[in-house]
Short mmCIF file of all heavy atoms in Angstrom, two decimals:
data_model
loop_
_atom_site.label_atom_id
_atom_site.label_comp_id
_atom_site.label_asym_id
_atom_site.label_seq_id
_atom_site.Cartn_x
_atom_site.Cartn_y
_atom_site.Cartn_z
N ILE A 60 -27.04 17.01 25.10
CA ILE A 60 -27.94 18.00 25.68
C ILE A 60 -29.32 17.53 25.83
O ILE A 60 -30.00 17.79 26.83
CB ILE A 60 -27.92 19.36 24.83
CG1 ILE A 60 -28.46 20.52 25.70
CG2 ILE A 60 -28.66 19.29 23.53
CD1 ILE A 60 -27.56 21.53 26.08
N ARG A 61 -29.80 16.77 24.88
CA ARG A 61 -31.24 16.24 24.99
C ARG A 61 -31.25 14.80 24.85
O ARG A 61 -30.26 14.10 24.76
CB ARG A 61 -32.15 16.96 23.96
CG ARG A 61 -32.44 18.40 24.42
CD ARG A 61 -33.30 19.10 23.41
NE ARG A 61 -32.66 19.20 22.15
CZ ARG A 61 -31.89 20.27 21.78
NH1 ARG A 61 -31.67 21.21 22.62
NH2 ARG A 61 -31.32 20.34 20.56
N PHE A 174 -31.74 21.84 34.41
CA PHE A 174 -31.99 20.84 33.39
C PHE A 174 -30.80 20.53 32.55
O PHE A 174 -30.78 19.56 31.79
CB PHE A 174 -33.09 21.31 32.47
CG PHE A 174 -32.84 22.69 31.81
CD1 PHE A 174 -32.03 22.75 30.80
CD2 PHE A 174 -33.38 23.79 32.35
CE1 PHE A 174 -31.70 24.04 30.25
CE2 PHE A 174 -33.15 25.06 31.84
CZ PHE A 174 -32.27 25.17 30.72
N CYS A 175 -29.62 21.19 32.66
CA CYS A 175 -28.67 21.27 31.69
C CYS A 175 -27.36 20.52 32.04
O CYS A 175 -26.82 20.64 33.13
CB CYS A 175 -28.41 22.72 31.35
SG CYS A 175 -27.24 22.94 30.01
N PRO A 276 -32.21 32.81 24.90
CA PRO A 276 -33.18 31.81 25.42
C PRO A 276 -33.97 32.29 26.67
O PRO A 276 -33.39 32.79 27.67
CB PRO A 276 -32.32 30.65 25.66
CG PRO A 276 -31.18 30.80 24.71
CD PRO A 276 -30.93 32.27 24.74
N GLN A 278 -36.62 30.00 27.78
CA GLN A 278 -36.83 28.53 28.25
C GLN A 278 -38.24 28.40 28.76
O GLN A 278 -38.87 27.37 28.43
CB GLN A 278 -35.89 28.12 29.40
CG GLN A 278 -34.47 28.38 29.11
CD GLN A 278 -33.86 27.54 28.01
OE1 GLN A 278 -34.50 26.76 27.35
NE2 GLN A 278 -32.50 27.75 27.77
N ASP A 316 -34.88 29.78 22.95
CA ASP A 316 -35.16 28.35 23.14
C ASP A 316 -36.22 28.23 24.23
O ASP A 316 -36.23 29.00 25.15
CB ASP A 316 -33.91 27.59 23.70
CG ASP A 316 -32.81 27.60 22.67
OD1 ASP A 316 -32.97 27.77 21.52
OD2 ASP A 316 -31.58 27.43 23.10
N PHE A 317 -37.06 27.13 24.05
CA PHE A 317 -38.06 26.90 25.09
C PHE A 317 -38.04 25.40 25.39
O PHE A 317 -37.78 24.58 24.56
CB PHE A 317 -39.41 27.24 24.52
CG PHE A 317 -39.65 28.74 24.43
CD1 PHE A 317 -39.53 29.32 23.12
CD2 PHE A 317 -39.95 29.52 25.45
CE1 PHE A 317 -39.69 30.69 22.93
CE2 PHE A 317 -40.07 30.92 25.28
CZ PHE A 317 -39.95 31.47 24.10
N ILE A 318 -38.33 25.13 26.62
CA ILE A 318 -38.47 23.78 27.13
C ILE A 318 -39.90 23.59 27.60
O ILE A 318 -40.34 24.42 28.40
CB ILE A 318 -37.57 23.40 28.25
CG1 ILE A 318 -36.09 23.52 27.68
CG2 ILE A 318 -37.81 22.08 28.80
CD1 ILE A 318 -35.02 23.28 28.80
N PHE A 347 -38.27 22.46 22.72
CA PHE A 347 -37.86 21.04 23.02
C PHE A 347 -38.84 20.59 24.18
O PHE A 347 -39.17 21.27 25.03
CB PHE A 347 -36.45 20.98 23.40
CG PHE A 347 -35.55 21.71 22.58
CD1 PHE A 347 -35.04 22.93 22.97
CD2 PHE A 347 -35.17 21.25 21.35
CE1 PHE A 347 -34.19 23.74 22.22
CE2 PHE A 347 -34.25 21.95 20.54
CZ PHE A 347 -33.83 23.18 20.97
N LYS A 348 -39.07 19.18 24.13
CA LYS A 348 -39.71 18.59 25.31
C LYS A 348 -38.57 18.42 26.31
O LYS A 348 -37.43 18.01 25.99
CB LYS A 348 -40.24 17.19 24.85
CG LYS A 348 -41.50 17.34 24.06
CD LYS A 348 -42.14 15.99 24.01
CE LYS A 348 -41.38 15.08 23.01
NZ LYS A 348 -42.00 13.69 22.83
N TYR A 349 -38.96 18.65 27.58
CA TYR A 349 -38.00 18.37 28.61
C TYR A 349 -37.57 16.93 28.63
O TYR A 349 -38.40 16.02 28.56
CB TYR A 349 -38.50 18.74 30.04
CG TYR A 349 -37.65 18.30 31.15
CD1 TYR A 349 -36.45 18.98 31.37
CD2 TYR A 349 -37.92 17.22 31.90
CE1 TYR A 349 -35.55 18.52 32.35
CE2 TYR A 349 -37.13 16.74 32.90
CZ TYR A 349 -35.90 17.43 33.15
OH TYR A 349 -35.12 16.94 34.13
N SER A 350 -36.32 16.69 28.74
CA SER A 350 -35.84 15.32 28.99
C SER A 350 -34.79 15.31 30.15
O SER A 350 -33.91 16.14 30.14
CB SER A 350 -35.22 14.67 27.71
OG SER A 350 -34.02 15.31 27.37
N ARG A 352 -31.78 14.68 32.19
CA ARG A 352 -30.42 14.34 31.96
C ARG A 352 -29.81 13.91 33.24
O ARG A 352 -29.73 14.61 34.25
CB ARG A 352 -29.65 15.58 31.46
CG ARG A 352 -30.24 16.38 30.30
CD ARG A 352 -30.71 15.53 29.13
NE ARG A 352 -29.76 14.84 28.40
CZ ARG A 352 -29.87 13.54 28.05
NH1 ARG A 352 -30.99 12.82 28.44
NH2 ARG A 352 -28.92 12.92 27.38
N1 LIG B 17 -34.31 18.90 28.04
C1 LIG B 17 -34.85 19.63 27.01
N2 LIG B 17 -34.17 20.66 26.52
C2 LIG B 17 -33.00 21.00 26.98
N3 LIG B 17 -32.25 21.99 26.56
C3 LIG B 17 -31.10 21.88 27.31
N4 LIG B 17 -31.13 20.86 28.17
C4 LIG B 17 -32.39 20.30 27.99
C5 LIG B 17 -33.08 19.26 28.61
N5 LIG B 17 -32.69 18.58 29.58
C6 LIG B 17 -32.40 22.95 25.55
C7 LIG B 17 -32.49 24.38 26.11
C8 LIG B 17 -31.25 24.97 25.64
C9 LIG B 17 -31.06 24.28 24.32
C10 LIG B 17 -29.66 24.29 23.68
O1 LIG B 17 -31.42 22.93 24.59
O2 LIG B 17 -33.60 25.02 25.59
O3 LIG B 17 -31.20 26.38 25.52
#
Side-chain angles (χ1 to χ4, degrees):
I60 197 112
R61 286 179 296 270
F174 52 80
C175 185
Q278 311 293 2
D316 294 339
F317 292 98
I318 297 176
F347 313 101
K348 284 191 287 179
Y349 170 72
S350 67
R352 311 312 295 135

